[in-house]
Amino acid sequence: MIGGGLAGLACGVALAEAGWRVRLFEQKPFLGGRATSYVLPNGEHVDNCQHVTLGCCTNLADFYRRVGSADKIKFFDELVFLDPQGRRGTMKAGLLPAPFHMTGSFLTFAPLTTRDKFSIARAMLDIVAAKGKTADLTEPRPISMLEWLRRRRQTKGAIGRFWRVVLVSALDEELDRTDARYGVDVFWKAFLMNNTGYRMGVPVVPLADLYAGCKAAIESRGGEVNLRSPVRSLQTEGTMIKSVQFDAGREESADAYVFAVAHDALFDLMPETIRRAEPSLANLAKIKTAPITGVHFWFDRPVMNEPFVTLLDTNTQWIFNKSMLYGEQKETTDIPEQYLQLVISASYDLLKKSRQEIIDICLREVRQALPRAQAAQLMKSTVIKEVAATFSPQPGVDRWRPQQQTNIPGLFFAGDWTATGWPATMEGAVRSGYLAAEAVLHSSGSAGPAHQFLQPDLPASGFMSLLKI
């Protein structure tokens, strides 16, 4: 197993449970890939970017259960939005059954006008009537989410304060560069099909703490987890991989090799003979990437009571109250300082800005959104730019995403960029790992009902359960 991100870990744990001896190699000194955390020189633990899950992410939930991390995720039923005018809106399920469970909070959502709400409601009913697959999603030319919204005459406010807010955060891409199929899928699976699909799960520990159980799950079954172990070269015989070489002359051979690395690094790892034999490798360069920027603020006093809020019409999209999430903020008046993490997805405009410029922009927005921050002193801050945080869900990108099983016996791929049916999310990464594990077992002839790892989607509830979905 080459790569210790979520895809590699999910695949490795699944294969270990199936009785295989897994040897996992990760080039970094920690597990988790892009969804991890590290320690600053002053001892502060920071996530490279805040990662969350939703109630509809069934495979990620299954993975957390397998590795003993389910209790490290806290779910919230209410999503809070703030606009620059100080208007506050909340989204939460009410007493009505799906797909109408959010009607009450939607009708009273202050940042949207009545005209905005009517246009959104029309588009939502269109999704429901088509069971998540509107006719224009199957056109020969894939369309962007922005085009999909314009065809449904969405207002400027609806697009900017609703659709964009949800989808840029969920998919890490702007609406005009997002395949409409992914955008519609987010609302279908998270907000319409089931009344719990939208619930947000946030880790209450640093991300790296989620993966201790992965190492134990592999090693307790006779496997190995090797950190600081970058691949240096592959030894091949024709198109077959004979061994993988690491530092200090270490060479490993196996019955199956699963490469769970970033798609833009995989091509360079593969020898020319394998590139020629596996056509999907040539398409990887066509899959673009998108950035995420995380900004970390430590204030000298509490400035926020909520666990997280979403900001509208600002660069900053989310503010997470890490002090509260980590359990350090029992009573806000008794805590001398507060740690906040800000998230900006699809942060193209920030890539060329200096860290100080980003801090200045975000600090102004935080102080506008959180009045108590105006009198608070910013004690320290840091900025983490993930230039290639995810693959871009551009229209038609699925044609370039390879399957987990290749044309070459013994060679498999895992990663959110493989063909999973999901965009670049932690759920997509785990799905790819499970699919790769199933492919390994199938190719060895040992697949069976007990080795079906992929979990079904969240079932329809309420009125939606009456439809044949």
Side-chain angles (χ1 to χ4, degrees):
M1 177 66 59
I2 309 301
L6 268 173
L9 292 172
C11 184
V13 169
L15 287 173
E17 290 183 1
W20 283 58
R21 185 165 73 90
V22 175
R23 284 166 289 167
L24 186 148
F25 297 87
E26 165 56 47
Q27 66 174 349
K28 295 178 181 177
F30 45 77
L31 298 174
R34 291 162 290 161
T36 193
S37 57
Y38 57 90
V39 183
L40 295 176
N42 64 3
E44 198 83 45
H45 289 259
V46 296
D47 296 338
N48 62 345
C49 182
Q50 180 67 63
H51 285 69
V52 301
T53 183
L54 295 175
C56 60
C57 296
T58 55
N59 286 274
L60 183 58
D62 177 78
F63 171 72
Y64 286 144
R65 285 193 296 269
R66 287 179 189 271
V67 300
S69 292
D71 62 343
K72 299 174 183 176
I73 308 296
K74 183 175 181 179
F75 278 87
F76 296 88
D77 297 321
E78 183 174 281
L79 309 178
V80 178
F81 300 77
L82 299 175
D83 72 8
Q85 293 73 40
R87 289 174 297 206
R88 180 186 180 99
T90 60
M91 285 288 181
K92 62 181 179 180
L95 298 177
L96 293 175
F100 307 112
H101 50 290
M102 287 192 168
T103 301
S105 61
F106 180 70
L107 290 175
T108 58
F109 193 82
L112 293 174
T113 68
T114 300
R115 186 165 171 262
D116 295 335
K117 294 172 185 177
F118 272 118
S119 72
I120 294 167
R122 286 197 311 269
M124 289 290 196
L125 290 174
D126 193 10
I127 296 174
V128 171
K131 302 177 185 178
K133 300 185 185 299
T134 60
D136 44 2
L137 298 181
T138 59
E139 292 179 357
R141 181 185 68 84
I143 63 171
S144 72
M145 190 63 196
L146 185 59
E147 183 175 347
W148 189 92
L149 293 170
R150 285 173 173 167
R151 290 182 181 186
R152 285 154 182 83
R153 304 186 306 281
Q154 296 299 287
T155 64
K156 182 179 179 181
I159 293 174
R161 291 192 158 199
F162 182 75
W163 298 102
R164 182 182 181 276
V165 171
V166 173
L167 294 177
V168 171
S169 297
L171 303 176
D172 188 30
E173 191 54 281
E174 291 293 346
L175 299 180
D176 61 338
R177 292 193 286 251
T178 295
D179 193 311
R181 187 180 70 80
Y182 291 125
V184 172
D185 239 19
V186 167
F187 284 94
W188 172 242
K189 292 177 178 177
F191 290 93
L192 294 170
M193 195 167 66
N194 186 293
N195 63 350
T196 63
Y198 78 98
R199 297 179 69 235
M200 182 180 290
V202 186
V204 294
V205 296
L207 287 172
D209 292 357
L210 297 175
Y211 309 119
C214 302
K215 189 173 188 293
I218 291 172
E219 292 181 341
S220 66
R221 294 171 172 86
E224 302 174 15
V225 174
N226 302 276
L227 303 177
R228 297 185 175 90
S229 300
V231 173
R232 294 308 181 190
S233 64
L234 304 183
Q235 296 301 310
T236 60
E237 186 175 290
T239 61
M240 300 287 291
I241 298 177
K242 303 303 292 182
S243 65
V244 180
Q245 294 186 327
F246 302 89
D247 287 335
R250 181 172 186 175
E251 186 171 351
E252 297 284 346
S253 60
D255 297 310
Y257 301 86
V258 183
F259 284 80
V261 299
H263 74 275
D264 49 2
L266 181 65
F267 185 83
D268 293 334
L269 276 177
M270 295 292 118
E272 184 62 32
T273 53
I274 292 181
R275 294 178 190 174
R276 288 197 300 265
E278 180 54 47
S280 65
L281 287 168
N283 294 325
L284 296 183
K286 299 172 184 175
I287 302 176
K288 308 303 180 184
T289 58
I292 296 178
T293 299
V295 181
H296 303 257
F297 286 160
W298 287 265
F299 288 98
D300 67 344
R301 68 193 73 177
V303 300
M304 176 178 172
N305 290 333
E306 298 88 352
F308 53 84
V309 296
T310 305
L311 301 190
L312 304 177
D313 302 338
T314 55
N315 291 279
T316 304
Q317 295 154 0
W318 290 84
I319 305 177
F320 289 88
N321 184 343
K322 303 294 279 191
S323 294
M324 177 180 287
L325 291 166
Y326 288 169
E328 300 166 358
Q329 184 180 324
K330 304 300 182 183
E331 295 291 340
T332 56
T333 55
D334 297 336
I335 304 298
E337 62 181 61
Q338 190 173 63
Y339 166 32
L340 306 181
Q341 181 175 356
L342 286 56
V343 179
I344 305 100
S345 298
S347 54
Y348 297 100
D349 292 343
L350 299 183
L351 291 182
K352 294 182 180 180
K353 294 186 183 297
S354 69
R355 296 181 183 275
Q356 189 58 53
E357 286 178 305
I358 295 172
I359 289 170
D360 291 343
I361 290 169
C362 292
L363 184 57
R364 284 196 300 270
E365 294 176 347
V366 168
R367 284 179 167 156
Q368 181 179 18
L370 307 175
R372 283 189 291 165
Q374 296 171 12
Q377 179 183 348
L378 183 64
M379 300 169 61
K380 56 181 179 285
S381 59
T382 190
V383 175
I384 300 174
K385 295 181 182 180
E386 290 280 347
V387 177
T390 67
F391 78 84
S392 172
Q394 58 192 321
V397 70
D398 278 356
R399 79 188 83 169
W400 313 126
R401 299 172 70 181
Q403 298 294 319
Q404 290 76 29
Q405 185 160 2
T406 71
N407 294 326
I408 299 170
L411 175 61
F412 304 85
F413 299 149
D416 58 6
W417 46 270
T418 61
T420 66
W422 275 63
T425 59
M426 293 195 294
E427 170 74 5
V430 172
R431 282 174 173 256
S432 78
Y434 283 176
L435 288 169
E438 291 178 3
V440 169
L441 294 171
H442 179 77
S443 68
S444 69
S446 57
H451 297 150
Q452 300 297 309
F453 300 110
L454 194 68
Q455 303 298 304
D457 286 338
L458 202 64
S461 68
F463 290 135
M464 303 306 293
S465 63
L466 303 177
L467 300 177
K468 292 182 180 180
I469 299 172

